[in-house]
Amino acid sequence: MRRDDLCITIPNFFRCPISLDVMKSPVSLCTGVTYDRTSIQRWLDSGNNTCPATMQVLQSKEFVPNRNLQRLIQIWSDSVAHRQHDAELAANSVVLPSHDQVKVLVKQLDNNSFSALTKIVRFARESEENREFLARMDGFFNAVFDFMRNAESDIKLIEQVVHILDLMLSKISEKKPLMESNCLSTILVILQRGSSDSQIQSVQLLESLAVDGESKLKIAQKEGLLLELVKSLSKEKDPRLIDASLSCLISIAMPKRVKAKLIQSRTIPELKILLSEPNMTPSIIEKSLKLLETLSSCKEGRVEIWHDTILLQAIVQKVLKASSKATEHAVTILWIVCYLFRDEKALEAVVSGNGMTKILLLIQSNCSPAVRQMSADLLKIFGVNSKPCLSSYDTKTTHIMPF
């Protein structure tokens, strides 16, 4: 962090009480005090049994991740990175280049000029008119693709390339040259080492490349790429990145071989964690269920769902919660595993998770015909006749989310 360029004030509660550095992995002791994981682990491994800040004797040496603080630190860190980036842009070019100057800058990309690239990025960010100008320029995209091939592992260069491609995404009519460039390797490096914003941009770029079965398989076959996408679903990540990663995974998951690779990459356990979290956004819940529904269409996915009682009960809890789309995806998953394939363990898990009551309430609501039919099928499996049950419930007094 270059503090000579910017005056950066670090909030005191972002600092570890032991190391006084910004915490990378904040965890809280039973005393309620939060430390960086590495520092407090070293303290405890040294034989200490007290809280360093309060000197209270610890009733337990267990600690829990402080997710909220970690998200705040990530947001702050990204904000600092933005300020530094904007300061660098301002230093490189106080005035936007003219059209003629931009043409010269594009030619300078052949020499891997970082300064030229940052000025082009700033020009593109300024207006839609500027982006149209770049899109019409002969050789512009080829110059950017060549630059990307030569960027290798320089993270600053790679982030700038992804930034310009993200800005120009709607202008790239033919995606094949992009797939044939070093794009997948570039995206992999960003997911491994980039900032949250650049990771979001790279995931959006990746989703735009998944235009057909061939491109989806190529993405899935890129070594390490699916694994990094699945890691992006971790609940500690920026919610915007989780949402974008889910959209990307949904777009590439249709081919059977891709589904198998996603299951091998432990996608389903990550989805279970997201669905079990109480504060996830409706969009993340919807997309988690949609991806899970897609994975349940193959045998390996169904088997993993069948054997996970906690996951099945989390799915049941999303019925009549979050949104109508979330409910539809949840019911479809339950219908596949319980009705279509009649797994006994799944049936037991759904019943123990209050699934019958949820389905009874759902069938009385203003749900879609497809959801109503699947709900009726599920009630048959549970040995319940839906028609008599409907008459025993007063829909005027039962609080049902309108769908």
Side-chain angles (χ1 to χ4, degrees), residues 272-304:
K272 177 174 72 171
I273 293 171
L274 292 178
L275 291 173
S276 301
E277 279 290 300
N279 298 319
M280 286 299 165
T281 66
S283 178
I284 289 177
I285 293 170
E286 286 176 12
K287 291 175 182 177
S288 296
L289 289 167
K290 184 173 183 179
L291 181 56
L292 195 58
E293 178 189 331
T294 301
L295 298 179
S296 71
S297 65
C298 71
K299 182 179 178 181
E300 299 90 340
R302 288 192 298 275
V303 169
E304 190 163 344

Side-chain angles (χ1 to χ4, degrees), residues 133-156:
F133 173 78
L134 289 171
R136 293 193 303 268
M137 188 187 303
D138 289 339
F140 169 71
F141 285 117
N142 287 335
V144 174
F145 297 160
D146 289 340
F147 190 100
M148 180 165 53
R149 290 189 189 94
N150 298 325
E152 297 179 348
S153 58
D154 188 321
I155 192 64
K156 288 184 70 176

